[in-house]
Amino acid sequence: MTQLWPTLIILGPAGLLIGIGLSIAARRWQDHSDTMIERINKLLPQTQCEQCGHPGCRPYARAIARGEADINRCPPGGDTTIRALADLLGKQVKALDSSCGEHKAPLLAVIDEQRCIGCTLCIQACPVDAIAGAAKWMHTVIAAECTGCELCLPPCPVDCIDLVSLADQPQRRIPAHVQIPDLAA
Amino acid sequence: MSGDLPVMIHPAGAYLHGFHGGLKLRHYKQISTARALAQPPLPEYLQLSLQQHAGSPAIAVVKPGQHVTKGELLARAGDGLSAPVHAPTSGTIAEIQTLPLLRKPARSAPSIRLHPDGEERWHPDCERSIGNWRDFTPAQTMQRIAASGIVGLGGAVFPTASKLSSQWQTPAHTLIINGAECEPYISCDEMLMREHASEVMLGARIVAHALGITEIVIAIEDQLGALASALETARSQLNDEHILVVRVPAVYPEGGERQLIKMLTGLEVPSDGYPQTLGLACINVATAWAVKRALLDREPLIERVITVTGAIAEPRNWLCLLGTPIQHLLQCSGGLTDPGARLVIGGPVMGEQVTDPALGIDKGSNCLLALAAEQLREPQQSMPCINCGECVRVCPAMLMPQLLYHGIRKGDHALSNRLQLTDCIECGCCDLVCPSQIPLTDYFRAGKQLQAQQRQQQARADKSALRHAAREQRLQDEAAQAARKEAERQARASNPDQAQAVIGAALQRARLRKQAQKHNRNDTDGDTS
Ligand code: SF4
Ligand code: SF4
Ligand code: SF4
Ligand code: SF4
Ligand code: SF4
């Protein structure tokens, strides 16, 4: 029994020291919120449409990370995004909040250049600078950059912006007998 | 790539190694090899797709109504990875329209319709001497191969010059000529070697010369004894002891590049690498033949051997102009014996259904197979997976098909990534052995499509995020600048004395500058006088 004492004398304080060290370390690196925002942001579709009620995807990610917003508020992401967020945050999967909008297939904005009067209002509205043009000159959408967020539609005074389905979307040729959850839309 | 690359201990082909999995399939090759190789009569029209290769479509350089000669350039190579298309015979361009691809109904590309005039007049470029290939630099040979529109004729249709010129992590040492067609029914390579053995070898030598190597291994299936002796004869005529003819066991899919390399060298091509990674080049026999014809006969790639077999009255191999309509080939071969047969390009396992028999054969069409109705397997009757592990046992890519299947069904892309879905060669072995008749390969094809789509989406999202951030930054900067200006203006307005002082100081500075300039001018005037 007496042989136990040296062990206790050495291990006791050592354990205490390690414990203190760990708790300091935990406190020191405790603030994961920044990386958490990044991880959440990575799962959002980056449409920047503001339908979630935040000025862009990253602000929404920040709100989720702080627990200020629910995970089911992104219509462009739809169920796929909700599932991914639930996975990451260990939350329950739930249906899309319909007050934010409906999930639909990705779109692309196209300006009818004949009708554009060059008012630049759409440029100011576009969250990803996907419109090129200058005052009193014709405007056009840079197709490769447009996220289809629809934010440029309401400001246009002559209603010359239309949404079309994404042309470069590869056509799926999956036989009918292959049943996979629909991840494409 | 991680870790050191494995090195060969024995020369390629000196010993045969096995590869994991695979199946012994019945051959059905003798059906089409009984008749000699022949050329079909000229069809009424040729339908030449400008997307007969991997990469971007070729760009037409001819116009409807224009007369072209045999071997003339019809479409130049597009941007990036691509290959040109040449006129298979002389005639008139009827029209250029967008048509679906022969094997991929969902994709389409411009397609040229050529009406032959029956004269078969060669383009002058094809009759001009280009000198001896031995004097060519590697770059010249590659340039010639590229300009002749040569692509991998085994079915991958990857532009050959690009394949051979890409990254060599290990110095090139051996050229493998793949003559081991492993899918049942397909005999075009066998026929080609039977009739043109020495030309294939010459083509191989030209490629080897361009790569600066001498060792050539020609791999054929082991039951082709007669062919082996034909090749031996050709080899002794060429008197080249660096050419080795190797007979490999007929285990499907030993004709797959990675499987063949494993068999010949015992080395595994890394998942993220190519044969070049190991210092090996691997091309198909028909490709070698095309190289010979491009470099010695100055003919671009305008024809290929295609096996027409299955439920066909007179199955045989045709030496056939590219663009020959499928229906013309069927007619020349006596037509279908089963009106309900399904037309497939390629073999019974990996083949793809013909979109429209009015379309022409392309560079990758090695076999036109008519699968009789009773040979078709209905896909609907699959049962749940019983985890028997048969698919794992036969998978030549050493994957776990049953887990991949579950991953794809759940939509779990992380799982299918971890299980290396991209390494699946879509050989269909797992399908064939699955007792539950699950169409596994179809799932893997679909899974790959979705993965590609997701990658594309992710790339787009990343870019949008960057652009959004950049815009936010710009707006912030602009606001900050406006605020600063405003503050300055207000400061000036609230303190007129200071404003006066600032103006005075500016005037003073201007005066000084003027004086200094005057001085300078005087100085230089003094210098020049
Ligand atoms: S709703 Fe729009 S802005 Fe909000 S996270 Fe989704 S895509 Fe981004
Ligand atoms: S162009 Fe219109 S739809 Fe496209 S990203 Fe800009 S604002 Fe959104
Ligand atoms: S808002 Fe409409 S009219 Fe104004 S610049 Fe944009 S497209 Fe043209
Ligand atoms: S062979 Fe079929 S049933 Fe057996 S484990 Fe593979 S998928 Fe499942
Ligand atoms: S199809 Fe893919 S998973 Fe199935 S056996 Fe072939 S390589 Fe393996």
Side-chain angles (χ1 to χ4, degrees):
Chain A
M1 210 42 205
T2 45
Q3 266 102 345
L4 212 58
W5 279 109
T7 324
L8 282 182
I9 288 168
I10 295 168
L11 280 190
L16 202 67
L17 274 178
I18 292 171
I20 292 171
L22 280 177
S23 73
I24 291 174
R27 220 158 275 194
R28 169 79 176 70
W29 287 292
Q30 164 199 37
D31 193 2
H32 284 306
S33 58
D34 255 11
T35 52
M36 202 58 200
I37 293 174
E38 280 316 317
R39 285 167 70 185
I40 296 173
N41 191 31
K42 191 87 188 151
L43 299 179
L44 297 174
Q46 306 301 330
T47 310
Q48 317 292 0
C49 63
E50 306 183 1
Q51 290 181 84
C52 50
H54 300 266
C57 301
R58 202 166 185 285
Y60 178 43
R62 194 185 305 123
I64 296 179
R66 290 184 182 158
E68 294 161 3
D70 215 338
I71 59 169
N72 62 342
R73 300 185 57 83
C74 174
D79 291 343
T80 319
T81 298
I82 296 174
R83 227 179 305 133
L85 287 174
D87 254 8
L88 176 68
L89 303 167
K91 291 199 176 168
Q92 207 74 42
V93 177
K94 47 175 108 176
L96 180 66
D97 187 343
S98 57
S99 69
C100 298
E102 296 281 307
H103 174 69
K104 43 187 168 182
L107 295 167
L108 174 70
V110 176
I111 292 179
D112 181 353
E113 289 148 5
Q114 305 293 318
R115 277 156 58 205
C116 169
I117 56 170
C119 68
T120 75
L121 289 177
C122 55
I123 292 196
Q124 292 164 39
C126 179
V128 289
D129 282 341
I131 300 178
K136 303 215 175 81
W137 290 87
M138 180 200 87
H139 284 51
T140 197
V141 174
I142 307 167
E145 315 290 5
C146 170
T147 65
C149 68
E150 307 189 21
L151 289 179
C152 54
L153 266 64
C156 181
V158 292
D159 242 353
C160 68
I161 310 179
D162 285 319
L163 289 168
V164 296
S165 65
L166 259 186
D168 65 347
Q169 200 70 15
Q171 281 186 30
R172 297 173 66 194
R173 195 172 67 100
I174 295 173
H177 59 267
V178 173
Q179 287 137 22
I180 351 184
D182 192 21
L183 303 157
Chain B
M1 213 132 325
S2 54
D4 288 334
L5 292 169
V7 274
M8 266 176 9
I9 300 164
H10 304 292
Y15 293 88
L16 287 186
H17 310 256
F19 63 87
H20 179 266
L23 289 171
K24 281 207 181 294
L25 300 178
R26 277 198 63 188
H27 255 267
Y28 302 109
K29 293 197 197 248
Q30 61 296 346
I31 301 178
S32 53
T33 54
R35 292 181 178 82
L37 189 60
Q39 275 176 300
L42 265 183
E44 201 180 308
Y45 67 91
L46 296 173
Q47 192 70 55
L48 292 146
S49 172
L50 299 190
Q51 180 76 77
Q52 302 189 33
H53 47 263
S56 64
I59 298 159
V61 295
V62 291
K63 289 197 180 61
Q66 190 176 334
H67 186 270
V68 294
T69 46
K70 189 168 178 149
E72 189 172 335
L73 185 71
L74 293 184
R76 63 179 170 84
D79 296 332
L81 192 67
S82 187
V85 176
H86 299 82
T89 182
S90 58
T92 319
I93 307 295
E95 54 183 335
I96 304 176
Q97 56 190 140
T98 301
L99 291 177
L101 301 190
L102 178 61
R103 287 172 278 177
K104 306 216 164 14
R107 287 178 60 201
S108 55
S111 181
I112 296 179
R113 182 177 284 230
L114 174 69
H115 283 164
D117 58 10
E119 290 178 21
E120 302 264 359
R121 201 150 22 82
W122 279 96
H123 190 260
D125 273 359
C126 301
E127 300 185 321
R128 200 172 298 138
S129 164
I130 52 166
N132 191 335
W133 59 269
R134 285 176 201 277
D135 306 331
F136 284 7
T137 62
Q140 278 172 321
T141 309
M142 289 306 164
Q143 198 274 329
R144 194 88 217 152
I145 291 175
S148 301
I150 297 177
V151 300
L153 297 179
V157 291
F158 194 90
T160 303
S162 307
K163 176 174 174 173
L164 295 176
S165 324
S166 50
Q167 281 292 307
W168 290 90
Q169 272 113 333
T170 311
H173 53 76
T174 310
L175 173 66
I176 296 174
I177 303 295
N178 187 347
E181 178 51 69
C182 48
E183 264 208 80
Y185 289 103
I186 307 177
S187 62
C188 55
D189 292 347
E190 183 191 339
M191 275 323 252
L192 178 66
M193 283 186 284
R194 264 208 233 167
E195 313 249 339
H196 300 286
S198 51
E199 291 184 33
V200 168
M201 285 186 185
L202 264 177
R205 271 174 143 190
I206 295 172
V207 173
H209 180 76
L211 296 175
I213 56 179
T214 50
E215 298 307 319
I216 298 170
V217 178
I218 302 182
I220 60 169
E221 287 203 321
D222 59 0
Q223 74 267 52
L224 306 177
L227 177 58
S229 48
L231 285 170
E232 275 308 323
T233 320
R235 194 186 65 83
S236 51
Q237 273 165 11
L238 284 177
N239 197 15
D240 188 340
E241 74 277 14
H242 295 294
I243 299 180
L244 181 67
V245 177
V246 180
R247 292 160 69 172
V248 295
V251 178
Y252 175 82
E254 97 279 347
E257 199 169 72
R258 284 161 190 261
Q259 281 67 38
L260 186 63
I261 286 173
K262 177 85 205 310
M263 185 106 83
L264 292 175
T265 65
L267 302 185
E268 221 170 89
V269 179
S271 161
D272 54 352
Y274 300 95
Q276 283 91 314
T277 316
L278 303 174
L280 296 163
C282 187
I283 62 173
N284 176 269
V285 276
T287 313
W289 190 52
V291 168
K292 181 258 163 190
R293 294 188 50 177
L295 272 284
L296 285 172
D297 310 327
R298 304 172 295 281
E299 292 174 15
L301 179 61
I302 54 170
E303 58 185 355
R304 68 157 298 141
V305 181
I306 178 169
T307 310
V308 180
T309 183
I312 298 272
E314 296 165 24
R316 75 183 317 156
N317 278 280
W318 294 106
L319 179 56
C320 182
L321 296 182
L322 296 177
T324 303
I326 299 290
Q327 53 201 24
H328 179 75
L329 268 184
L330 286 177
Q331 252 168 36
C332 297
S333 314
L336 295 171
T337 53
D338 175 0
R342 177 189 293 173
L343 291 177
V344 164
I345 297 285
V349 195
M350 288 170 94
E352 291 163 291
Q353 198 172 347
V354 170
T355 309
D356 180 357
L359 293 175
I361 68 155
D362 58 18
K363 293 177 181 175
S365 309
N366 50 0
C367 177
L368 171 61
L369 172 63
L371 278 173
E374 77 263 11
Q375 281 173 298
L376 300 175
R377 195 170 60 143
E378 279 313 312
Q380 277 85 2
Q381 308 147 350
S382 64
M383 309 275 286
C385 168
I386 54 169
N387 246 322
C388 64
E390 278 300 295
C391 49
V392 180
R393 199 177 54 76
V394 298
C395 176
M398 294 190 274
L399 303 177
M400 309 241 258
Q402 90 282 32
L403 290 184
L404 269 173
Y405 167 68
H406 290 311
I408 293 173
R409 288 243 312 188
K410 273 197 305 190
D412 188 344
H413 285 264
L415 179 63
S416 27
N417 265 337
R418 251 199 329 279
L419 293 170
Q420 306 273 17
L421 174 60
T422 41
D423 280 356
C424 167
I425 57 169
E426 299 173 21
C427 67
C429 286
C430 48
D431 252 15
L432 286 172
V433 295
C434 177
S436 293
Q437 307 233 343
I438 301 170
L440 292 162
T441 319
D442 283 345
Y443 273 92
F444 302 153
R445 281 203 193 108
K448 283 188 193 174
Q449 264 184 56
L450 290 183
Q451 263 188 352
Q453 214 167 323
Q454 258 206 343
R455 264 198 304 277
Q456 217 177 352
Q457 263 175 23
Q458 191 58 54
R460 233 185 137 99
D462 289 349
K463 197 168 65 169
S464 303
L466 277 181
R467 285 183 78 86
H468 184 63
R471 180 185 147 93
E472 295 285 285
Q473 188 63 48
R474 174 168 65 77
L475 291 181
Q476 237 174 48
D477 290 354
E478 277 171 12
Q481 205 174 9
R484 208 165 46 240
K485 279 231 174 94
E486 177 60 22
E488 275 171 20
R489 198 186 58 77
Q490 273 180 7
R492 272 200 305 279
S494 63
N495 193 348
D497 282 358
Q498 200 198 339
Q500 215 54 53
V502 169
I503 293 170
L507 283 175
Q508 178 72 16
R509 270 204 307 280
R511 218 173 293 129
L512 285 175
R513 203 175 313 127
K514 238 184 203 150
Q515 271 174 10
Q517 271 170 5
K518 218 170 186 176
H519 263 292
N520 273 347
R521 212 170 310 130
N522 287 344
D523 284 357
T524 39
D525 284 355
D527 282 351
T528 46
S529 61

